[in-house]
Every structure is written in C-alpha cells, then in structure tokens.
Amino acid sequence: MRSVLGAYPGGKVQANPRKACSCCAQQLETGSSTTASSSSTQLPARQPARRRQQAATLPPAYLTAWESNTPHVPATLSHPLAPATSAPRQITNAPTWTFDDALEAADVAALRSMEQSRLARRHGREGQLPPTPTVLTQLPSQLTPQTLSNALILVDKPRDWQDRDVIRALKWGFRVDTIGHVGSIETLATGLMLVCMGQATRLTPIFHQLDRVYSGTIHLGAATETYDATGRVVETLPWRHISDEDLSAAASHFLGETLLVPPYMTTHKVGGRTFKRTALRDGKEGPLLPQPVYVSEFSVSREPGSKEVAFSIKVGRGGMMRSIAHEFGRVLGSASHLSSLRREAIGEFSVQDAWVMELLMPLLTKYRRSSRQHRQRRAA
C-alpha cells in the first residue's frame, strides 16, 4: 500500500479499510488524500528478521530506498513516474553499446572448433566398420549364434505383407535383438528386402545409398487418392489417344533428377511426425513438399491397345514409385496409378538370390525349437 501511494504523486487511492494496515486504514477513514509529499512515509520500527538481513547486504545507495520502500533512481535519471516537466531531462552518463569484433571472432572460432570436433567424431565412428558380414545362403548350417551376430539375409517379400511384418517374423525366428532392413517397400509390392542382423546393422547407412531396380505396371486412364490400386478412384480421363511414342517420350521426361510430391498416404515425415499417421488421425491432407528423386534408367512397353504399361526403372534413394506412376499419366495428358510393383535389386543384391518366406519360416521354426531344447538341456 505504501509503495502504491508513493508511486502516484497527487493521486487519490480508494481501498478497503479492512484490508489495509492500521496506519493506512486510519487515513482512509478520515478521508485524507495522499500526495507526492507523503511518499516519504517511514516503515514501522518492527521489521521481519528476513527483511533486516536482506537490508544488511545492500550497498548504502540502495539502503535508504529499501528503508523508505521507494525505488532507487540514479542521480542522472528522472523518476519514470514523476510528472512531466517542460523539457525532458537529458541522460548524461548513458552507456554506449558497441559491437566487439574481437569477441565475435572468438565466438565464431569456438563454434567452428566445436563443429569440426563433432564431425571428426562422426567420421571416426563411420570409419570403424564392422567385420564383413556373412550372407545367409546355406540354412540351417549357418544358423549359429556367432554367425547371426553379424549377418545379412535376402528375403523376397510377399504381397500384402508390410516390411515390419517381415522383420517381426525374422526377429522371432532368428532370436536376435538387433535387426533392420534397407529401404522401405510398399505394402502391395513384392521383391527384395535386404535384412541386416547384429553388427551388420551399422552398414545400413551405406546400403541406403545404393540404387534400386523396380519393375511393374502402370494403369492408364484412372487416378486414385493413394496413387496405387488400393485407393479410391478420384479421376477418370481418356487414354486411347496415347501412342507408344508418347510412352517413350514420357519415360525420358523423368530421367535425371526431378521433384515429385509424395502421395497422400506416405511414410514421409512432416514436422517430425509420419504423414500417414497424421492423415489417418485428422482425415485431411496437409502440406507436402516436393522431394528430389534421381532416375537413371526408365523403359516402358505395352501390348497393343492395352491400358496396362509395363515398366522397368532404376532409381536412387527415396524413389517414390507411386508418385512416378501418378505423374506419368499427367505427362501424357491423362491419369494413371501404380497397379503392381516388384523390387528386383538393391545395388549388387538381386531378388534371384533371396529366400522365399514359405521356405524360410519352417526352417526358422525348427531352429527356434531346437535352440529352446538345447537351453533346457543345459539348464538341467
């Protein structure tokens, strides 16, 4: 109450006498007004011990203001709430702020040194590659814990299986804790999955840079909301005017690096969150930025008078096949979507050397049962 009365010189303050202290309540009941001259009201003689201890640590310039409960103002400055005079008071000893080039250069050098150290540690970790992994081609003779601690296996993914379903089944069968695969693959697609186990998972950043080879078919005349055969048809356009020369010209349009917008149901992340989950939860499309895709080979063919176009393509990392199939029809002046897809190779790894899940899972089930029996015999 005293600080408020002293901060507004010449003003009247209406307050509830029951909520004020004894001295202020007496002034309010008699109707007396508080002016700027009353701002020097002294504090009661009795002060809390905590306040006396704090006041003892203050310098003399602030001690007077502390005792009078008024803000301390330097002699060169006017009170911010004082009445305005005819001419504003000039600040004589105002500090001058300058940009210190020497300190800035030192900060930049320190940041540069920290970044170089971080990159050196990162390159050092990447340079320490694990031993050459074993490619599992002879089962069950290679099903040993020593081999599985650093191994690769090529798997031919069935249709309508998600890549995480394959990984879950292999993790259960091989009884390994560390397992992963190189490059996501569409649910409707079949073909090669390069699965790494144990120490071989440290090689996945290198395998991600390898080119992929795909084959499949593109359906002309209809566009879907998911850019593939699983989605609802949203657009139908004529396609019979398209010739074989137009197909070849459209395929050459995608050679090199091009920008493509990911499909609506995609696993690309927007704002750190998978866009597919966000779309399923919110039920609406959001902003999707174009992604660069590099195509080194693209060939197409079809039967006379057919709307199914067979293709073979070689793309780099992040090749969005559904987006390529969707834009293929746009380039032709029609609509299209991806009807089938198969991954043929990842770098030098071919699907011809991959294990089929129908043959692999019985072997893994037998291995899992035998390893459990072996542990039981050792425990007994």
Side-chain angles (χ1 to χ4, degrees):
M1 177 63 71
R2 284 185 293 274
S3 61
V4 172
L5 295 178
Y8 292 88
K12 296 182 178 181
V13 179
Q14 300 294 334
N16 188 357
R18 299 180 180 178
K19 296 183 179 180
C21 59
S22 59
C23 59
C24 296
Q26 183 178 2
Q27 294 180 2
L28 291 173
E29 290 176 357
T30 56
S32 59
S33 62
T34 305
T35 60
S37 60
S38 64
S39 61
S40 61
T41 304
Q42 299 295 329
L43 288 174
R46 185 178 180 181
Q47 296 182 358
R50 180 181 177 183
R51 187 175 179 87
R52 290 196 303 270
Q53 293 175 1
Q54 293 176 354
T57 60
L58 293 176
Y62 289 86
L63 187 56
T64 306
W66 185 276
E67 293 175 352
S68 60
N69 204 19
T70 57
H72 169 68
V73 182
T76 56
L77 298 177
S78 61
H79 199 286
L81 298 178
T85 58
S86 58
R89 196 168 183 177
Q90 299 294 331
I91 301 176
T92 56
N93 297 329
T96 57
W97 298 96
T98 58
F99 185 80
D100 197 333
D101 295 336
L103 292 178
E104 177 67 16
D107 294 340
V108 172
L111 291 175
R112 184 180 293 111
S113 177
M114 293 172 57
E115 182 66 14
Q116 290 176 354
S117 301
R118 186 187 66 84
L119 293 177
R121 291 193 302 269
R122 179 179 178 181
H123 293 318
R125 289 193 301 267
E126 293 179 353
Q128 298 175 359
L129 297 178
T132 303
T134 303
V135 182
L136 301 181
T137 57
Q138 300 176 1
L139 299 181
S141 60
Q142 293 179 326
L143 292 178
T144 60
Q146 294 77 13
T147 304
L148 297 180
S149 62
N150 185 21
L152 297 176
I153 186 170
L154 309 182
V155 179
D156 190 351
K157 187 186 84 69
R159 184 182 174 89
D160 297 331
W161 277 50
Q162 295 185 0
D163 47 10
R164 60 182 179 183
D165 297 334
V166 177
I167 294 299
R168 189 182 299 111
L170 296 182
K171 185 177 182 179
W172 174 85
F174 285 114
R175 303 183 66 89
V176 293
D177 297 330
T178 307
I179 187 172
H181 69 100
V182 179
S184 60
I185 185 171
E186 304 289 346
T187 304
L188 65 87
T190 62
L192 179 63
M193 282 186 62
L194 180 57
V195 182
C196 307
M197 291 177 289
Q199 299 182 21
T201 55
R202 295 165 54 187
L203 298 175
T204 52
I206 300 177
F207 293 147
H208 275 303
Q209 307 302 326
L210 301 178
D211 293 337
R212 281 84 159 167
V213 179
Y214 293 93
S215 63
T217 55
I218 299 176
H219 185 88
L220 298 177
T224 63
E225 59 182 358
T226 57
Y227 297 177
D228 57 15
T230 62
R232 178 176 55 89
V233 177
V234 295
E235 187 180 15
T236 303
L237 294 176
W239 58 274
R240 296 188 179 277
H241 65 282
I242 301 174
S243 61
D244 294 343
E245 291 76 10
D246 296 335
L247 296 177
S248 301
S252 61
H253 174 78
F254 290 92
L255 295 179
E257 188 176 31
T258 182
L259 293 176
L260 295 175
V261 179
Y264 172 58
M265 301 297 290
T266 180
T267 56
H268 284 75
K269 291 187 177 181
V270 177
R273 182 176 298 176
T274 304
F275 186 78
K276 181 177 180 179
R277 297 182 180 179
T278 305
L280 290 174
R281 184 192 63 184
D282 300 340
K284 58 181 180 180
E285 297 187 13
L288 278 175
L289 299 179
Q291 304 290 334
V293 176
Y294 186 81
V295 179
S296 55
E297 299 177 7
F298 194 7
S299 59
V300 294
S301 62
R302 68 167 178 175
E303 297 293 333
S306 174
K307 61 171 65 176
E308 297 291 335
V309 178
F311 70 91
S312 177
I313 188 172
K314 184 178 182 180
V315 297
R317 179 181 181 179
M320 297 174 289
M321 299 309 304
R322 288 187 292 166
S323 298
I324 293 178
H326 178 77
E327 293 296 330
F328 186 79
R330 294 291 185 91
V331 174
L332 294 171
S334 181
S336 61
H337 65 269
L338 185 66
S339 56
S340 65
L341 182 66
R342 180 172 177 81
R343 181 188 284 172
E344 301 289 345
I346 299 177
E348 299 297 330
F349 301 98
S350 175
V351 72
Q352 303 297 330
D353 304 325
W355 286 88
V356 182
M357 293 297 293
E358 288 78 2
L359 298 178
L360 182 61
M361 289 309 298
L363 294 176
L364 295 183
T365 303
K366 184 178 179 179
Y367 167 73
R368 182 181 175 88
R369 186 183 302 112
S370 62
S371 61
R372 184 172 61 250
Q373 294 175 357
H374 178 66
R375 288 195 305 272
Q376 291 175 356
R377 287 194 300 267
R378 292 187 59 182

